[in-house]
Amino acid sequence: MRKIFYILLCIMFVSSCKEHQLSNYGIEFQDKNCKICLDKNNNYTISVESFESSEMIYIMFLSRGRYERHNNNLLLYDDEGFEMSFKIKENRLSPKESFSFMKGNEMESRYIHPDEEYLYKYDPMHLERKRRIIEDFENLSLSNTFYCGTYNNNGGRSSININEDGTYQFIYKDLLLSKGEWEIEDNILYLYDLDLSYRHEIIINGKTLIIKKSFGDFESYKFEFYE
């Protein structure tokens, strides 16, 4: 009886380890890494952590939403309405539909210490502040002039390249987040992502752009034309 009880404990421990391995994944780059964090309530976040200095790590959230697992497939449903999918291979994720920079890169299972979990919790007040910034910008006197070229945010940490051939690239820290085609209606610049079937909405005011609808934390970000 004692032996059977011990075997059951071992099975439960192995099962728990496997479940933990399915909770967090990451890709490492030269000075940054990307993480997918899955919690027990079927919520997920995707973030990029960049090492600004030996003492500072900057976290940028790219996506938040709900996830489901069907057999060996992980499905992510972003709060903004687009979907991503990954193939589960033991302790790795292989992107099928995802951000452009993820394509061709498998994500390995990672451990996140419980002390770090607070970093991935969402602050609803943050969203309200962003909405007020967007509303204030919309109330400004907007010009109809638009320039093709590169628009930068925060010293070039993020950039949007608007090309004359009707294509664009949305880049964060040298990672290609989104690419596709663009068009303008009135004072709104629309970016159509070809990988995720998603449409970004950006307000135009001369040489300044402010993101109204986009990935993760990018909403309310201002981009200035680089001359």
Side-chain angles (χ1 to χ4, degrees):
M1 185 69 180
R2 184 177 297 176
K3 184 176 181 181
I4 294 174
F5 179 70
Y6 176 76
I7 292 173
L8 288 173
L9 284 178
C10 290
I11 292 173
M12 290 173 65
F13 176 76
V14 171
S15 177
S16 175
C17 288
K18 288 183 178 179
E19 183 178 352
H20 179 75
Q21 287 180 340
L22 289 173
S23 62
N24 304 293
Y25 295 87
I27 308 175
E28 289 188 359
F29 297 92
Q30 183 176 1
D31 59 347
K32 53 194 166 289
N33 60 64
C34 176
K35 289 183 179 179
I36 295 181
C37 298
L38 313 175
D39 71 17
K40 62 183 179 182
N41 297 316
N42 287 84
N43 299 309
Y44 80 87
T45 60
I46 298 180
S47 62
V48 172
E49 298 179 358
S50 55
F51 305 96
E52 305 288 321
S53 68
S54 59
E55 299 179 350
M56 180 180 176
I57 298 177
Y58 185 85
I59 300 177
M60 181 69 181
F61 287 95
L62 304 182
S63 179
R64 292 181 175 87
R66 303 277 296 170
Y67 74 86
E68 295 178 358
R69 183 187 176 190
H70 298 286
N71 297 322
N72 291 323
N73 294 295
L74 178 67
L75 306 178
L76 307 183
Y77 302 95
D78 187 275
D79 290 340
E80 288 291 339
F82 62 90
E83 301 177 9
M84 288 178 278
S85 62
F86 299 80
K87 191 75 173 178
I88 302 172
K89 299 179 179 179
E90 296 181 351
N91 64 337
R92 293 173 179 266
L93 288 182
S94 179
K96 296 167 64 179
E97 295 178 305
S98 66
F99 295 116
S100 298
F101 75 90
M102 290 180 169
K103 297 292 181 67
N105 291 298
E106 286 193 335
M107 306 188 76
E108 297 180 352
S109 176
R110 296 293 171 83
Y111 171 72
I112 292 183
H113 193 278
D115 291 343
E116 296 181 62
E117 291 180 359
Y118 78 94
L119 297 173
Y120 303 97
K121 293 183 178 179
Y122 189 57
D123 178 12
M125 294 299 295
H126 186 57
L127 178 60
E128 183 59 31
R129 288 192 293 270
K130 285 177 172 289
R131 285 175 178 166
R132 287 199 295 268
I133 292 172
I134 293 170
E135 288 175 0
D136 290 343
F137 193 82
E138 284 184 306
N139 292 330
L140 294 174
S141 176
L142 304 174
S143 67
N144 293 323
T145 306
F146 181 71
Y147 303 86
C148 287
T150 298
Y151 293 79
N152 287 327
N153 170 273
N154 200 2
R157 180 186 276 130
S158 307
S159 63
I160 300 175
N161 300 323
I162 305 297
N163 307 313
E164 293 184 357
D165 64 0
T167 63
Y168 78 90
Q169 295 85 34
F170 192 161
I171 298 168
Y172 174 71
K173 297 286 288 186
D174 299 324
L175 300 177
L176 180 61
L177 296 184
S178 175
K179 66 180 186 296
E181 301 174 346
W182 64 269
E183 69 175 15
I184 295 175
E185 293 182 12
D186 298 323
N187 65 310
I188 301 294
L189 171 65
Y190 294 104
L191 307 181
Y192 296 90
D193 187 290
L194 297 180
D195 289 323
L196 295 174
S197 300
Y198 179 76
R199 186 178 74 171
H200 306 262
E201 297 182 16
I202 303 175
I203 305 170
I204 304 168
N205 187 4
K207 295 183 179 181
T208 301
L209 305 178
I210 186 167
I211 296 184
K212 183 176 182 179
K213 180 182 177 183
S214 186
F215 301 144
D217 280 350
F218 281 102
E219 289 183 358
S220 81
Y221 269 43
K222 287 184 180 179
F223 287 74
E224 302 290 342
F225 187 69
Y226 180 77
E227 300 185 66

